[in-house]
Amino acid sequence: MTNTTTFTLRYFPVAARAETCKALLFFIGAEWVLEVPEWPQEKGAQRVGKLPVLIEHSTSDAEPFVLGDSRAIEEYLATKYNLYYQPDDAQLMARQRELRAHMHDIYELSALIIHAPELARPFFISKYLALARCVVDTHEKVLRENGSNGHYFGNTTTFLDIAALAGLLTFRKTFVHLVPELLTPLDKTNAPEINNAVEILSKDPAFASYISALETCSNAE
Amino acid sequence: MLASGGSSTFTLRYFDFPSRGEATKVLLLLGGAEWEHKVPAWPQERSLQPVGRLPVLIEHSASDSDDAPFTLSETAAIEYYLATKYGYIYQPTDPKCVARQLELRAHICDMYTAFAEWKLGPNEVASKNKKIFNTTAGCVVRFHEQVLKENGSNGHYFGSTTTLVDISLFTNILALRTAFSGLDPDMLELLNSDNAPEMNKVIDAVSAEPALASYVAELKKL
């Protein structure tokens, strides 16, 4: 009997922390659905009261595999679908995880800014701008050293590329309405390689469904 | 002074108080690595770090050129790298098991972050952040106590020996207790042995590792 795997991704109906998870599911061509729990009524039913949660339904397993935390979900999908570059090279794997963590840190600071009261925003904005400048410098260098071909490593799409695409497109969609200055370190003037990479990746038909879904998704408030 | 053993040597750049760099120290100690802790002048040497943050791990290997040692930032990347290198990931070829370990580690780190944001963030968000910490910690304790019971209440998250998640819990809880207890001792009651007995068994089990005897003794002096 052929093993069939389908996924449920539980998350809010907004473009926020689960975007790379969604982009990964679209990119790998997985059969999946977005399930939006009643909130906060169903908070207690989640693993540690947080979203996203990924549920993998496989005909070969007695019970579904349930996983919380966006970082663990991404790691699982990237590993399962062989989206890391040269996974047998421990240092390269560490480098890819490091670069992904940089993007995550910028996202977390942006979330703090968006949810902070007006008086507290300058504190977080200055931290965000300092970190974003350093992260952009590092990532620009990696992309240049890889030949400015639209990929962080090699010449095919890997996990980092997917995370960069989802991250930048989500930032553009969200920040232009909420806190526009957060986009400045990531614009074409300050981050030409990152923007070039996302432009190249956006043309890949494998991302068409993801980009279409993102365009119709609500913004996180 | 570098402690000895192995073909690579390491430099850990971090502050001189217990915080996010502790799990890296413990992994280096448990792995029997040759390593040293360097405390950068701060903020003067901030711009010398990969993204202006610590910790940073530098691996010096005989096969690397002197001016290009392997340099890594981000605690998650550093810890996973060392845990893989020294065999502290449980069943590393099982993607689901690995994902489960990363999930549990992320819970613990989120709890630490929530605490730090409460105590170190701006006053305008202190009340909100305190609520976030209490909610986060409550959920994590409930979930992790259950995971530990399901593993046989043996002081380990997986199997019967120390692995990455045990190390993460040990270091994050001890860092919280050491760095923040003086500010408000009651706030960590949620994590004491009455409210989180299984998690405290993990702390005791890791504390008893012979390779960590000196490390634990130093922590107790703080």
Side-chain angles (χ1 to χ4, degrees):
Chain A
M1 183 168 113
T2 310
N3 178 37
T4 308
T5 299
T6 62
F7 295 94
T8 299
L9 180 69
R10 277 190 204 142
Y11 197 60
F12 307 109
V14 296
R17 194 169 272 114
E19 286 311 297
T20 298
C21 299
K22 292 178 193 173
L24 281 162
L25 288 165
F26 275 118
F27 182 78
I28 62 181
E31 193 178 325
W32 71 283
V33 294
L34 178 70
E35 184 181 281
V36 182
E38 291 290 320
W39 208 262
Q41 297 90 320
E42 291 184 59
K43 184 179 170 77
Q46 313 312 322
R47 292 171 71 72
V48 286
K50 289 189 170 186
L51 298 177
V53 169
L54 182 76
I55 306 164
E56 183 181 27
H57 316 268
S58 176
T59 49
S60 63
D61 294 332
E63 289 188 8
F65 175 59
V66 185
L67 189 63
D69 193 81
S70 58
R71 292 154 291 184
I73 293 169
E74 290 173 20
E75 174 77 29
Y76 177 63
L77 292 174
T79 303
K80 183 181 172 90
Y81 292 100
N82 201 25
L83 289 168
Y84 273 111
Y85 181 71
Q86 293 183 4
D88 292 334
D89 183 328
Q91 289 187 347
L92 255 181
M93 283 292 280
R95 180 70 67 225
Q96 291 170 82
R97 291 191 174 106
E98 177 197 30
L99 293 169
R100 175 65 188 107
H102 292 164
M103 300 179 200
H104 177 82
D105 286 350
I106 291 179
Y107 176 85
E108 289 302 322
L109 269 174
S110 73
L112 286 175
I113 292 165
I114 286 165
H115 297 295
E118 203 61 47
L119 279 176
R121 273 193 178 177
F123 172 85
F124 294 118
I125 288 175
S126 81
K127 288 179 83 169
Y128 169 91
L129 291 174
L131 178 63
R133 275 191 283 270
C134 291
V135 166
V136 165
D137 283 348
T138 299
H139 288 230
E140 289 283 299
K141 185 166 184 271
V142 171
L143 288 161
R144 264 194 312 271
E145 286 176 354
N146 195 50
S148 301
N149 64 356
H151 302 289
Y152 273 82
F153 296 97
N155 54 16
T156 57
T157 297
T158 59
F159 170 46
L160 271 181
D161 302 328
I162 298 168
L165 171 96
L168 186 58
L169 293 185
T170 304
F171 270 31
R172 283 180 189 162
K173 178 181 167 65
T174 310
F175 293 164
V176 72
H177 302 291
L178 296 175
V179 189
E181 70 185 288
L182 300 187
L183 271 177
T184 305
L186 299 163
D187 65 21
K188 288 183 183 176
T189 304
N190 294 301
E193 296 289 342
I194 295 171
N195 278 269
N196 175 54
V198 170
E199 197 173 318
I200 291 172
L201 292 163
S202 295
K203 293 177 185 158
D204 185 340
F207 289 115
S209 297
Y210 170 67
I211 291 170
S212 172
L214 178 61
E215 280 169 6
T216 56
C217 194
S218 301
N219 287 339
E221 296 294 334
Chain B
M1 172 74 76
L2 289 172
S4 67
S7 57
S8 288
T9 63
F10 295 90
T11 299
L12 172 64
R13 285 188 200 146
Y14 199 63
F15 303 111
D16 62 358
F17 55 82
S19 185
R20 293 188 200 276
E22 295 312 295
T24 298
K25 290 182 192 172
V26 166
L27 282 160
L28 288 166
L29 287 165
L30 288 173
E34 191 172 340
W35 70 286
E36 60 178 349
H37 178 193
K38 280 197 172 163
V39 182
W42 208 261
Q44 299 89 320
E45 292 184 7
R46 180 196 287 273
S47 61
L48 300 178
Q49 317 312 322
V51 286
R53 286 184 161 190
L54 299 177
V56 171
L57 183 76
I58 303 165
E59 182 175 18
H60 314 271
S61 171
S63 59
D64 293 333
S65 61
D66 283 341
D67 58 353
F70 178 60
T71 302
L72 193 62
S73 65
E74 296 289 344
T75 53
I78 293 169
E79 289 171 26
Y80 196 103
Y81 177 65
L82 292 176
T84 303
K85 188 178 182 76
Y86 292 116
Y88 286 94
I89 300 286
Y90 184 72
Q91 293 181 359
T93 56
D94 179 344
K96 287 182 182 168
C97 198
V98 171
R100 181 69 69 229
Q101 291 169 78
L102 296 179
E103 178 195 24
L104 293 169
R105 179 194 170 276
H107 294 166
I108 293 165
C109 294
D110 283 351
M111 191 169 61
Y112 181 93
T113 298
F115 198 97
E117 282 175 0
W118 167 28
K119 299 316 286 184
L120 302 175
N123 289 334
E124 292 84 357
V125 291
S127 171
K128 175 185 162 187
N129 284 349
K130 179 177 179 178
K131 229 172 133 178
I132 290 172
F133 168 72
N134 283 326
T135 304
T136 301
C139 289
V140 170
V141 167
R142 270 193 297 280
F143 190 80
H144 284 227
E145 287 286 303
Q146 185 58 34
V147 169
L148 289 161
K149 280 179 201 155
E150 286 170 3
N151 193 51
S153 299
N154 64 357
H156 299 288
Y157 277 89
F158 296 91
S160 56
T161 58
T162 295
T163 56
L164 175 64
V165 187
D166 302 330
I167 294 165
S168 186
L169 184 74
F170 168 72
T171 51
N172 277 277
I173 300 299
L174 287 190
L176 285 179
R177 286 176 178 166
T178 312
F180 293 104
S181 64
L183 298 172
D184 187 350
D186 294 341
M187 63 196 174
L188 291 175
E189 270 183 15
L190 187 58
L191 300 164
N192 68 20
S193 51
D194 289 332
N195 295 314
E198 301 294 334
M199 291 165 82
N200 278 270
K201 275 188 203 168
V202 173
I203 294 169
D204 291 342
V206 179
S207 294
E209 289 278 352
L212 300 182
S214 301
Y215 173 79
V216 171
E218 285 302 311
L219 269 184
K220 284 182 179 167
K221 290 180 193 171
L222 294 173

